[in-house]
Amino acid sequence: MAGMAAAAARCMNAACGAPAPGVGEWRKGWPLRSGGFAVLCDKCGLAFEQLVFCDIFHQKESGWRDCSFCGKRLHCGCVASKNSFDLLDSGGVQCVNCMKNPGPQPVSCQVAPKLFLPPPNNQRLFGKSDELLPGRPLESPSLMLDSRSDDIAIITKSNHPFMVKNLEIGQSSNILRQKEIENGARQIKWEQPTLSIGDMGRMPFLIRPQSALESPQSQCTRRDDNRDPTADSTTSESISEAGLSMSLGIANNGNKMEATSTMERPMVSPTTPFSEGRELATTLSPFQHAQRARHFLTRPPRVAEGAAFDPMRDGFPHLRVARPPAEGRGRNQLLPRYWPRITDQELQQISGDSNSTIVPLFEKVLSASDAGRIGRLVLPKACAEAYFPPISQPEGRPLTIQDAKGKEWHFQFRFWPNNNSRMYVLEGVTPCIQSLQLQAGDTVTFSRIEPGGKLVMGFRKATNTVSLPDSQISAIATGSLLGDSFFSNTNENLSIADRFGGRPDEGSFQFLHKRSRSIGSKSRRLLMDNEEALELKLSWEEAQELLRPAPSAKPTVVMIEDYEFEEYDEPPVFAKRSIFTSRSTGEQDQWIQCDDCSKWRRLPLNVIIASKWRCADNTWDPKSCSCSAPEELAHKELQNILQQYEEIRRRKSNYFLKQSIPEMDASSLDALATAAVFGEVGNQGAASVATTTKHPRHRPGCTCIVCIQPPSGKGPKHNPACTCNVCMTVRRRFKTLMMRKKQRQSEREEAEASKRIAWVGRDEPEGSNLSRSPQTVDTARDCDVIMFDKAGANKGHIDLNFHPASREEEQQHGGQPRVSMVSLLEVANRPLESYMKQNGLVSLAAEQGSSSGTATVPSQPAPMESEERPSDEGRAVAVEQEREPVDNMSVDEAACENQGNAASASDIAAT
DNA sequence: TATTTGCATGTTCTG
DNA sequence: AGAACATGCAAATAG
């Protein structure tokens, strides 16, 4: 019945053991590579892999039921949901809203309970649509996320948003499949936007307190829905579709939705809630999807509360996201990143008099170039073509755009031809940019005032810009260590995102992402506050700190590349935090704090305390088994230890500030290795705090190489010449790393060389290389040809690469030719004559000429020649004498010339 | 010499 | 793979 899996009834952290709380207590989390979902327990703050306790899929029958009145999907199986429904005498359940609003009118149950905060990186959760729907019978469900209320709504075509409580990764697809089954797997084609008023009224978005905004018609529709949630396909299918087009009066007096009949012209007046629809759900990447969802699912104006909404009072201006009007020449579907999000404040400011309507067109996050002194703002092509006046000449035309304050700015709207396309720019934006104090990462929005069609621009400032190292940006961009709290909220827009647990500005985020990959070191870059970014990571580190091998577990020692690794069959356990110290004698202690009296007690090293611990539990030391017993450590001593402990933790934090995980590459390992040799190794000195928390499988007090490596900082250092095991191990490891590096490098070089050879082999007709004049034999390419010959693949060519030294080297390497690219290039750049002179190639030509009777050299078996070259002094001299006359000739000429001398030359050679 | 302009090119994104 | 876009760079122009 209750959808609470017993296995997950408690926090996995044994030390915490918090019972499975009301849904929603497991808040922060992130998807794991393993496919699970790690979250932080609110109580202990530790990371653990969540087990589902509201198992929607498996508890389908008992855990989930539809409200008999409004059809809302209710979870009736867990503690947290007990007040959100009522069992009916007739069977079935009734949601809390329907209870409160009895009567024929079906009451919307849109106000979602506060349930669950999805992981910061929602990729998994919002995985690809294909992943969500194997076979895709349900074409485009929308996963909606109300970041503020921590809810996830899954909008299906049957228009049944249902809340996912404690949704586990991967379950979304199950849920959707389930919904699909329930709906009879109707195949509904998602049409392009044509949204009826009724449709809009039925928008199931969480943002809308229905009582205020829902039109009567929509309510009727909903009523229909209640009768048969699956019957009305024609209306329901368009629910999540397309951008919402509507125009409202002031929210608190409106209570009425005035929708345009089509999506062509979404008029927006200051308090219009905008929504994104199906297209968004289908066009966005999963990540964007998630991010976007956080943006557009903002809490609506609290019209139902009867007070006019005041953005400032509320702490943030309401961010409206509008799908831009599908108009203009291009009619291209704009990329979502250009969809305008505009705040109430902006709209109010822009619109001025209430008679005008603002049509948000698009927005652009300023790039460094845009915001730079160059004064050019690159316009998205589709936007420029769709919303700006047509231009046929590159010179374009002047364009006047008014800003929110009413000031008019004059720009040149033009384009550059670019790759058979156009690149639209707005020139002369510098004064405007400067006036508005915009910088890279800020967003400029373009809107149009109707009637009149006047262009207006607004702007949003992006995040605060504080320094952040590359690695951080990279990490942020990849979401590797992002907690939602990463972005500090220093401005109003940011605060929205932050409050909603999302990024402050998707555009800005994209900008960061992009820049982090493309901006070089010399470029300006967006810099951000980094402290909060580490919150999650540090929490993880802290969690790691508490992981210990299971007490009963015995390690199996395996050797991998001459190194010993301890493997445990049992998973690690969480232990209560303890501090390890080592005395000057080398003896180590473990200290643990009593949960009652907070006194620190000494424990044996190998003891693992999994949960609460009190002095009374101290069976190891009878003297200290009571809270009344004095502390063994003097106050000063204790302070000292705790300080050191904190210091180490702080250093750890700093260390991770500098070392983001993705960048722990070989060089970092090298550095680590070196650091381990010359840095703090071991724990000499009185009561120094040992760091024994490097790896969950390491035992407390472990002195293996990993465990004793300090994150950074002070400490006794080993002598560089130290030959202790630790130092030797580190050196050995370092050496191996370097060797591997070299090996990789040479492999790469060889691969490149062989590629070239292959290319030459394809491209060059046999023998063509030496039929050229010597002057042409001076390029790397020719050099490659020679290499090809040398490799013996084409025996008809002269080996110009031969060198006695290299031959020796070859022999040393078991006959395998070793060719250095540098030496080859050197050789290739030398004058052929001198090279030939050096290598006795004239005699080759002469000999060849005598034997073949042809005037060209190429057909000669070069390698043979090289190898058969006389090695004795006398022959060398003889050859040298014969070589003189051809020093300044080409190979061909030399060959011809030598024809006549061939006989005598060979005679001399023979003697 | 500094700034502007036009284009080319490399990178990223999208279908 | 192709389109879009950010930016680098060199020529042109202005100061």
Side-chain angles (χ1 to χ4, degrees), chain A residues 555-692:
Chain A
T556 311
V557 178
V558 292
M559 295 288 288
I560 302 173
E561 292 185 1
D562 297 333
Y563 296 99
E564 287 185 5
F565 289 88
E566 288 179 348
E567 292 287 348
Y568 292 84
D569 291 332
E570 293 178 36
V573 298
F574 279 104
K576 181 176 167 62
R577 188 190 303 272
S578 59
I579 296 179
F580 292 88
T581 60
S582 64
R583 303 179 212 167
S584 50
T585 57
E587 203 178 334
Q588 293 190 324
D589 298 312
Q590 179 181 193
W591 299 90
I592 198 161
Q593 194 171 26
C594 170
D595 286 318
D596 283 348
C597 66
S598 300
K599 284 176 183 159
W600 287 87
R601 306 294 187 190
R602 187 205 301 265
L603 290 186
L605 264 187
N606 54 354
V607 169
I608 296 172
I609 302 297
S611 57
K612 280 204 158 197
W613 189 86
R614 296 176 188 85
C615 293
D617 302 325
N618 191 353
T619 54
W620 299 274
D621 184 5
K623 290 179 201 164
S624 308
C625 64
S626 160
C627 288
S628 57
E631 229 165 13
E632 190 177 340
L633 289 168
H635 179 70
K636 210 169 183 181
E637 215 173 357
L638 181 64
Q639 288 288 93
N640 191 28
I641 287 177
L642 291 175
Q643 267 176 13
Q644 286 189 54
Y645 178 72
E646 284 306 316
E647 171 70 16
I648 282 178
R649 289 187 59 174
R650 199 166 54 244
R651 272 193 256 148
K652 252 188 186 175
S653 308
N654 292 336
Y655 176 77
F656 281 107
L657 267 169
K658 292 169 191 161
Q659 296 274 343
S660 66
I661 288 172
E663 302 204 345
M664 289 285 277
D665 55 6
S667 60
S668 308
L669 288 173
D670 291 352
L672 268 181
T674 312
V677 175
F678 301 114
E680 181 181 358
V681 180
N683 288 284
Q684 294 90 344
S688 60
V689 181
T691 53
T692 55

